[in-house]
Amino acid sequence: MRPANHARLEKAAAAAWEKGRRGGALARAWLERAARFAPDDPRIGLDLARARLEARDFAAARAAYEALARRHDIAAGWMGMALAAVQHGDMPSVTAALEALLTRHVVADELGSVAFLRQAAALAGFGAIALTRPDGTRVRLVTGRCLGEAADEPALTRVEGLVTPRPDGGLEGWAARPAWPDAPPALFLTDATGRRRRVRLGKPLPADNQAPLLSRYRFRLSARALAGLTPPFRLGGAAGVEIFGSPVDPAMLAEPPCPAQTRGPMPPRPKAGAELALVMPVYRGLEETRAALESVLAAAPPTARVLVVDDASPEPGLPAYLDEMARLGRIELLRHERNRGFCAAVNTALAEVPGHDVVLLNSDILLPPGALETLRAVAYADPATGTVTPLANEGSLASYPRPKGANPMPDLDGTTALNRLARAANGLNAVEVPTGVGFCLFIRHDCLAAVGALRGDLYAQGYGEENDFCLRARHAGFVSLLATGAYVAHRGGVSFRAQARGLMARNLAILERLFPGYQALVAAHFAADPAAPARARLDEARLRDEVSGAREVVLMISHSHGGGVARQVRAEMARVRADGGAALLLATEFPANPETRPYPWRAQLSAGEAADTPNLGFDLETAFAALVALLRALGVGRVVLHHTLGHHPRVRETAAALGVAQEIVVHDYACFCPRVNLLNRPARGAPPRYCGEPLEAACTACCARDKAGVHEQLSVPRLRARTRAEFAAASRVSAPSADAARRLMRQFPGITVAATPWEDDRQAYTPRPPPATGKRRVAVIGGIGPAKGFEVLRACALDARARGLELEFVVVGGSSDDDKLIEAGVFVTGPYKEGEAQDLIAALQPDLAFLPSIWPETWCFALTEAWRAGLLPVVFDLGAQGERVRATGRGLALPLGLPPARVNDVLLRATP
């Protein structure tokens, strides 16, 4: 997400959250809007769950509270889940919520909470509850079958936090107790000789995105305070579990820096035949670990040693599973008595396998057959190679298909298929990278012998340790490679949770201090992107696999702006596939910042989802022939042209270059109107209006008078001549409504345009009559920009406010300027995904719909949504919207240009 866009979303979320917290009739709706813009903010989530509970929407409240509780393990989430579940009569959920709350959290008797817990437990069939008081004592209330009796002591006593060395020789950081965040925890420092001191905690840090629901108490220890103590220092709670960044030695920052760019002399050729050891540290995630380990055991060569290090896992069931695997002889199990972190776990295993090639594996990967063989072959192809990393969905600079990660994780079958295609597409191809990545890192034995173990004294629980290792290897003359012919799936984020980002920032700063220029080295790598050709080859291989065996291969050409065009393209692609064919999509590649990147944009080829094959982008000015060659190789036999907005003009030549038939589907009037939607402005700054489709000379004058909003570089006569030729050459031209077809045939006499409705207007429709008296809530559905009647809506809202009318406008969707509408008294939900409209409409409980579009739409999906919701729609009498309302009798069609006051009068009186 672009920073500017992210900032806008944060601002919109904060404003909506504030309005929602004020209460009122639309309080819940404002909170829903806030959550739509900031779905990962648990503070907004809690307020929204509370609003749902107050609205007696108990099922939705329970689901919201449970999601928050399971993700963040907060007492308020478990308590809310129990409250909602009691009201909903969901006793299993009551039991689950209370068990988590009572066993993992401190309970204070505030506002009768203990009384409620006892009552809820009784409803769930328990005569007693056991809880932990703020002073740490365990209390059992009443007798009988008890809920919460098996206290989770590690969770109740756990202290989380982060410690960072200071350049002046001191330490600083923060600590918190998740089970009781309302008070500072007991934090202790223990030196290398065993001397122990309590650390004084100060005021809470400001809430931030890293831990918005956790009160984090800061601490700072000066070099003087540490005088007389022997490093390294361990910091943790009373139970001895260390916080992140511990153990720590402030002297680590005194190590002389060595520039990251430094490269040592080439090492000697390694001896062949080293044995292979696979090393997997394990801490959390039983199911992830089980899946990872089973995949590793299935893919490992028979002679490979598989070493698993249990780093004092606190998760029930995980140690027992590992014990069983060791008993069966499937793994070599090593175990730490206390949690020491990823670096220490790896080093424990490395000590057992001197002279081995080693593959470091995270416990949340899926390793397909053949991947290890590719990594080993690449590792020994060049004597300078020290480490090799495969492609992965979530692999930092090894990520595929999107090179910066955030790709969905495939299952094992999908991983196996991707690895097979990667090997077929790229063989033993490899590119140099600044660092390997630790989710799956092959380290050759001679590199390991030369460089040494991971440095847990610097990187504590982990993150950055493999970067440090690879930089030291670089200084010793070794090279780190990315094997583009191998693929491993990686979930990411299973072991490191709430404290991870803080540790990452800390360790990244240490890396940069020790290896100046490291971040610049990585940035230069991403800018050069040497793996791009290999990723493109794999994308291409996946498309070849997609079309293999298809009855026909159809190419859809469209834009990437979403909306009704994208919806119809998806539907048509689904029909092609249902008929035994394969469908491909050539859309525009949406730039990082469209506001600064003018058209034309690159064309991007995919099987429907651009994110699946993002590496197949083509600059059609220079790479049109390459695109055509690929499409021909994929067997494209038919082209359906939907839209060319944002494309280079050469995209229109695709079907002709392939020598195949082209169908044209018309979505708007870009084929003869440079403004696309038949709107103009009589004067600069005036609201847009329907132009009435004048003669060609008037259209030319319109474009000359105001260049804003003109999306076509051709003159009007040349535009229409081009369209006439394309329509004549097309195997079929269609539009979704008879109104649109008539307009097109009027502009292009002799051309037949088939009217092919995109939806069935014969669907059942049972309108809900609006109230005869009192306030009416009016839903405006869709993305409301200038053409969709933004100015009309705003004017109606302002008139309603000025006259004190019993009208309330709500936009179910987004708009071109939410702030302007909100200032006028209009509520705006924010954009919705396909399939969400009905739920949003139902939640807002509108009385009728107003679709103020001022252009002759070719179809109108928003109208269908209004009918499905049982709303009476009010539209202007033009285009498909007016035609469909008149044809079905389902709604009111008003004269275009009716003044806002008159429109509002109609909305106040409208009935089915």
Side-chain angles (χ1 to χ4, degrees):
M1 183 183 297
R2 292 182 289 117
N5 189 44
H6 182 68
R8 282 196 294 269
L9 292 179
E10 281 190 337
K11 182 180 178 182
W17 185 25
E18 178 60 29
K19 287 180 180 290
R21 298 179 79 181
R22 292 177 190 167
L26 284 173
R28 175 179 172 181
W30 282 112
L31 291 171
E32 297 277 7
R33 172 181 164 86
R36 188 170 294 279
F37 288 125
D40 296 324
D41 191 322
R43 296 164 297 186
I44 294 174
L46 275 175
D47 282 344
L48 175 57
R50 192 175 300 116
R52 290 174 176 173
L53 186 63
E54 291 170 356
R56 305 187 66 79
D57 189 351
F58 300 125
R62 186 205 59 75
Y65 275 122
E66 181 174 8
L68 287 163
R70 294 197 182 282
R71 182 171 182 179
H72 300 281
D73 192 19
I74 50 173
W78 296 118
M79 179 68 85
M81 177 181 168
L83 280 164
V86 165
Q87 296 294 334
H88 197 230
D90 181 357
M91 292 305 117
S93 290
V94 172
T95 302
L98 294 187
E99 182 69 15
L101 176 65
L102 294 169
T103 59
R104 298 175 59 81
H105 293 271
V106 169
V107 177
D109 193 6
E110 299 173 347
L111 302 177
S113 59
V114 171
F116 164 75
L117 293 175
R118 292 172 59 180
Q119 293 167 4
L123 289 171
F126 294 85
I129 61 171
L131 54 83
T132 302
R133 296 289 194 192
D135 62 5
T137 58
R138 289 285 292 172
V139 179
R140 181 185 174 113
L141 302 179
V142 197
T143 59
R145 187 173 173 225
C146 186
L147 189 59
E149 194 160 28
D152 185 343
E153 288 298 333
L156 286 166
T157 59
R158 185 175 77 250
V159 174
E160 292 185 359
L162 177 72
V163 59
T164 301
R166 290 172 49 81
D168 62 6
L171 301 174
E172 64 182 355
W174 58 267
R177 184 183 174 194
W180 183 238
D182 293 348
L187 181 69
F188 297 91
L189 179 148
T190 306
D191 77 352
T193 67
R195 285 176 290 184
R196 190 187 199 201
R197 294 183 181 179
R198 182 159 182 171
V199 177
R200 181 172 171 272
L201 299 178
K203 294 180 179 180
L205 291 166
D208 65 13
N209 292 333
Q210 292 186 28
L213 297 177
L214 192 65
S215 295
R216 302 171 303 144
Y217 298 87
R218 71 180 81 204
F219 65 84
R220 178 175 291 185
L221 297 169
S222 66
R224 179 180 295 180
L226 297 173
L229 299 176
T230 305
F233 306 119
R234 301 184 182 278
L235 287 88
V241 178
E242 295 174 52
I243 63 175
F244 274 25
S246 173
V248 60
D249 183 353
M252 70 171 69
L253 300 182
E255 179 179 321
C258 181
Q261 288 278 9
T262 303
R263 191 188 297 278
M266 181 178 290
R269 181 174 292 277
K271 66 176 182 179
E275 294 181 1
L276 180 65
L278 309 179
V279 172
M280 181 182 291
V282 170
Y283 182 61
R284 285 189 186 275
L286 172 59
E287 293 309 314
E288 292 90 346
T289 300
R290 189 195 307 274
L293 202 48
E294 291 296 340
S295 74
V296 168
L297 292 169
T303 58
R305 295 175 65 180
V306 180
L307 289 82
V308 177
V309 183
D310 177 1
D311 194 24
S313 171
E315 188 169 311
L318 184 51
Y321 165 70
L322 296 177
D323 286 338
E324 178 65 10
M325 295 294 283
R327 187 188 69 77
L328 294 173
R330 303 190 70 193
I331 63 171
E332 298 177 45
L333 179 60
L334 307 170
R335 180 163 278 143
H336 289 167
E337 290 190 7
R338 60 178 178 81
N339 177 244
R340 295 168 57 194
F342 183 84
C343 298
V346 168
N347 290 340
T348 294
L350 292 181
E352 301 291 321
V353 288
H356 284 60
D357 291 334
V358 171
V359 181
L360 305 185
L361 297 167
N362 279 9
S363 61
D364 57 349
I365 56 99
L366 294 175
L367 182 69
L372 288 175
E373 287 75 6
T374 300
L375 295 178
R376 193 166 197 173
V378 170
Y380 280 91
D382 187 324
T385 302
T387 76
V388 186
T389 304
L391 295 171
N393 58 293
E394 196 65 54
S396 184
L397 48 68
S399 295
Y400 173 85
R402 285 177 288 197
K404 293 190 177 180
N407 300 293
M409 180 181 179
D411 60 15
L412 184 57
D413 286 344
T415 302
T416 301
L418 276 169
N419 182 64
R420 171 180 55 81
L421 291 171
R423 182 61 189 258
N426 293 322
L428 298 182
N429 170 267
V431 298
E432 184 175 353
V433 288
T435 175
V437 190
F439 70 92
C440 178
L441 184 65
F442 188 109
I443 308 176
R444 216 170 59 192
H445 65 280
D446 53 326
C447 176
L448 191 56
V451 177
L454 302 186
R455 299 206 284 184
D457 58 325
L458 292 178
Y459 302 102
Q461 288 75 16
Y463 187 81
E465 69 283 349
E466 75 270 36
N467 315 68
D468 175 280
F469 180 92
C470 292
L471 287 167
R472 288 187 287 134
R474 179 189 180 97
H475 296 165
F478 290 95
V479 172
S480 292
L481 296 178
L482 170 63
T484 62
Y487 179 91
V488 172
H490 177 219
R491 184 178 304 278
V494 172
S495 291
F496 290 168
R497 291 178 179 172
Q499 305 161 100
R501 281 182 291 179
L503 185 68
M504 289 177 186
R506 166 200 187 269
N507 288 358
L508 189 60
I510 292 173
L511 263 177
E512 186 64 27
R513 184 180 182 89
L514 298 180
F515 304 100
Y518 169 70
Q519 294 185 60
L521 190 66
V522 172
H525 172 82
F526 274 111
D529 198 8
R535 292 197 309 273
R537 287 192 295 269
L538 181 50
D539 277 1
E540 182 179 329
R542 290 170 62 204
L543 287 189
R544 289 177 187 272
D545 198 55
E546 173 80 17
V547 304
S548 177
R551 185 179 62 81
E552 67 167 343
V553 181
V554 182
L555 175 69
M556 311 283 171
I557 297 176
S558 188
H559 61 54
S560 56
H561 291 272
V565 176
R567 179 173 177 171
Q568 185 57 24
V569 169
R570 283 193 296 270
E572 192 163 335
M573 293 180 78
R575 283 194 294 271
V576 169
R577 291 175 181 137
D579 207 24
L584 302 175
L585 174 63
L586 187 67
T588 46
E589 183 180 85
F590 214 83
N593 190 349
E595 296 172 3
T596 61
R597 176 74 182 275
Y599 294 147
W601 295 344
R602 282 159 48 98
Q604 186 174 350
L605 184 65
S606 71
E609 294 295 334
D612 288 347
T613 53
N615 307 288
L616 293 180
F618 298 85
D619 181 344
L620 296 191
E621 188 165 0
T622 58
F624 181 70
L627 171 64
V628 170
L630 175 55
L631 295 175
R632 186 173 286 119
L634 292 170
V636 171
R638 180 161 60 97
V639 173
V640 182
L641 181 64
H642 282 270
H643 217 293
T644 61
L645 179 65
H647 276 289
H648 189 279
R650 293 209 70 180
V651 78
R652 314 181 82 91
E653 305 169 20
T654 305
L658 289 169
V660 301
Q662 174 169 275
E663 301 173 23
I664 297 176
V665 180
V666 177
H667 291 262
D668 52 38
Y669 299 105
C671 57
F672 68 87
C673 172
R675 297 190 186 281
V676 177
N677 46 34
L678 304 177
L679 297 181
N680 67 14
R681 297 178 188 269
R684 242 179 234 282
R689 66 180 186 183
Y690 171 51
C691 69
E693 300 169 59
L695 296 176
E696 191 173 277
C699 293
T700 299
C702 168
C703 295
R705 182 175 61 249
D706 183 5
K707 297 290 187 183
V710 174
H711 295 283
E712 180 58 68
Q713 299 303 311
L714 292 179
S715 66
V716 174
R718 291 182 63 191
L719 167 63
R720 296 182 179 187
R722 182 184 70 185
T723 298
R724 190 174 294 108
E726 289 176 345
F727 280 8
S731 61
R732 184 174 188 267
V733 180
S734 67
S737 64
D739 179 271
R742 285 193 299 271
R743 293 175 193 273
L744 291 165
M745 289 188 288
R746 187 165 62 243
Q747 293 290 336
F748 302 102
I751 299 295
T752 300
V753 180
T756 308
W758 288 342
E759 296 171 298
D760 187 357
D761 284 354
R762 296 171 298 177
Q763 62 183 303
Y765 172 62
T766 306
R768 299 198 313 268
T773 59
K775 180 170 286 190
R776 288 186 168 192
R777 183 172 291 172
V778 181
V780 183
I781 304 168
I784 310 303
K788 295 283 189 176
F790 178 93
E791 294 295 346
V792 173
L793 170 60
R794 183 168 176 270
C796 287
L798 291 172
D799 173 74
R801 185 162 66 188
R803 293 199 284 154
L805 302 181
E806 293 285 347
L807 284 176
E808 183 178 56
F809 294 92
V810 295
V811 173
V812 183
S815 79
S816 55
D817 192 337
D818 286 5
D819 290 342
K820 249 186 179 179
L821 289 181
I822 290 169
E823 287 170 7
V826 180
F827 172 75
V828 185
T829 67
Y832 57 80
K833 297 177 183 177
E834 189 174 335
E836 291 182 335
Q838 291 301 307
D839 288 340
L840 283 174
I841 294 170
L844 289 167
Q845 298 181 317
D847 301 302
L848 68 161
F850 177 38
L851 309 180
S853 184
I854 59 172
W855 74 288
E857 298 203 44
T858 57
W859 192 248
C860 184
F861 288 112
L863 178 59
T864 309
E865 297 288 4
W867 283 339
R868 285 177 181 162
L871 299 177
L872 175 74
V874 178
V875 304
F876 289 122
D877 192 7
L878 82 164
Q881 64 271 43
E883 178 182 73
R884 293 172 68 197
V885 165
R886 281 186 277 101
T888 60
R890 300 172 175 177
L892 301 177
L894 309 182
L896 182 64
L898 199 65
R902 292 285 306 280
V903 172
N904 282 344
D905 291 342
V906 172
L907 294 175
L908 284 169
R909 298 193 307 268
T911 56

